[in-house]
Amino acid sequence: MIRNWRRTAIIAISRNDHRNVLAGAVAGLGGAIAIGAMELFAVAAHYPLAVIPFATSIVLVIGSPGVEPAQPRALIGGHVVSALVGLAVLKLTGPQAWAAAAAVGLSILAMYVTGTFHPPAGINPLLVVSGNLPWTFLFAPVLAGAALLTAFAYVWHRGVRRQAWPQRWL
């Protein structure tokens, strides 16, 4: 079975457009660099890496830069809006499991209403409520991290990939 899998993968790669493989490799490199930078940011901000909510955002913004949730408004706004919802729910209810679930649902609604839908940001209210995180979480790592990821994506796509990003800022 493993032999068939390898043979199938080799055939698929040889049949596949080599530009797609190269684009995937470049995106993978960008993702790895961004994750490394995120880890450094986590250490500097004194937050465990598991509480820094950007791994899936990096995959989306670097790997699928043309989709609406990968644009700066959604990236920054989605993280800020969802963290605010989590902080508000935490303030009203305390760190309850049901409150964390409600905060995720409310953050989805809030991102839709504000035009900042960014699916990876849905982790923010879960982290905030279940971790009983302070209001400072909104500024670092959320706002600072989203702004830094936006800057990284801009430099990466324009400088390394030589492609326009973002398609729109707002």
Side-chain angles (χ1 to χ4, degrees), residues 15-83:
R15 287 182 184 168
N16 198 356
D17 182 2
H18 291 294
R19 287 178 286 163
N20 287 339
V21 174
L22 180 60
V26 169
L29 177 63
I33 292 169
I35 291 288
M38 182 180 74
E39 187 169 355
L40 291 173
F41 180 61
V43 170
H46 303 292
Y47 276 104
L49 187 59
V51 180
I52 306 294
F54 295 108
T56 51
S57 292
I58 290 168
V59 172
L60 179 63
V61 172
I62 301 300
S64 296
V67 299
E68 187 64 32
Q71 302 307 306
R73 176 186 174 91
L75 172 62
I76 296 170
H79 276 289
V80 169
V81 165
S82 66

Side-chain angles (χ1 to χ4, degrees), residues 47 79-81 83-84 87 128 134-144:
Y47 276 104
H79 276 289
V80 169
V81 165
L84 279 170
L87 289 162
V128 167
W135 280 90
T136 57
F137 182 80
L138 177 65
F139 303 105
V142 172
L143 180 59

Side-chain angles (χ1 to χ4, degrees), residues 60-129:
L60 179 63
V61 172
I62 301 300
S64 296
V67 299
E68 187 64 32
Q71 302 307 306
R73 176 186 174 91
L75 172 62
I76 296 170
H79 276 289
V80 169
V81 165
S82 66
L84 279 170
V85 169
L87 289 162
V89 169
L90 176 63
K91 181 74 173 167
L92 292 172
T93 67
Q96 308 295 324
W98 65 267
V104 170
L106 289 170
S107 74
I108 293 169
L109 172 62
M111 286 188 287
Y112 268 107
V113 168
T114 60
T116 59
F117 186 69
H118 182 73
I123 193 70
N124 291 337
L126 178 64
L127 292 172
V128 167
V129 176

